[in-house]
Amino acid sequence: MEIYLIRHTRPQLTKGLIYGRTDLPLAESFEEEMINVRSILPEDIEAVYSSPSQRCSHLAHAISAKPLLDERLYELHFGEWEGKTWDTIDRMASEIWMEDYMNRRPPAGETMLEMKERVKSFWDEIKATGKQRIAVVTHGGVIRLLLAIEGQIAIENMWERVISFGEVVCIST
C-alpha cells in the first residue's frame, strides 16, 4: 500500500499568524504548485482524502472529482489564539504551552496528544480499506504526526522535519 501525504499549497499569510484551523485563501502560486503535485502522483490513485480546510480541499478537488473530506485531518486547533499573531497573544501563556504542547492546550484548543489520537484514528481506518494507492491532502502537523506514528521520525523531534507547501511524502505500508 502506498499513501501519498500532501501538504497543502501556500496560503496567503500574515507574518506570525496562528492559523491551525483558520481558513485562509490560497496564494497566487496555487496553479503552479498544484501542477507540480499532480506531476508527482501516480495516475492510479484510488481515493483522495482531505482536510476540510480550503487550503487543502481546493488541492484535493484538483486531484480528484470526489475527494473525501475528513475532519480528523485538520491542523492543530489553537482555540482562542486562532487568527491572531504570536506577538499579540499572552507571551507567558504561549511559553507555558510551548514547554509541553504535547499535554497542554492553547485556551479552548487541543493538545498535540489529542490531535495525535484523532489523526491515528483516521490512519488506522484508511490502512484497513484494502486500497493500494491513496492520497491525503492535509497540513504539516498532521503529516509529521503520521510520520511519527509510522516510526519514521521521533514524535519529540517532529518539528525538526520540514514539510514544505505542496510537498508530497510517500509512505509504503
Side-chain angles (χ1 to χ4, degrees), residues 6-109:
I6 307 161
R7 185 173 184 197
H8 58 79
T9 60
R10 183 175 306 281
Q12 290 180 20
L13 287 174
T14 302
K15 186 175 179 170
L17 184 69
I18 303 169
Y19 67 102
R21 298 264 178 116
T22 303
D23 225 351
L24 301 171
L26 298 168
E28 291 180 12
S29 57
F30 172 76
E31 190 75 22
E32 181 182 329
E33 292 172 310
M34 177 270 296
I35 289 169
N36 184 57
V37 167
R38 287 179 56 177
S39 73
I40 295 169
L41 297 175
E43 292 187 23
D44 58 347
I45 295 286
E46 297 172 69
V48 176
Y49 295 86
S50 176
S51 161
S53 293
Q54 171 181 289
R55 60 190 184 266
C56 295
S57 64
H58 198 69
L59 178 58
H61 281 286
I63 297 169
S64 170
K66 295 181 181 177
L68 303 162
L69 303 184
D70 194 309
E71 292 190 0
R72 295 172 293 181
L73 293 172
Y74 270 125
E75 184 60 276
L76 182 72
H77 187 0
F78 284 97
E80 294 174 10
W81 296 347
E82 287 283 342
K84 297 179 180 175
T85 54
W86 289 105
D87 62 348
T88 63
I89 63 171
D90 181 288
R91 185 176 178 97
M92 177 79 92
S94 68
E95 287 177 4
I96 290 170
W97 172 74
M98 285 184 196
E99 287 173 3
D100 189 11
Y101 57 82
M102 293 302 287
N103 297 296
R104 294 184 183 141
R105 64 179 53 85

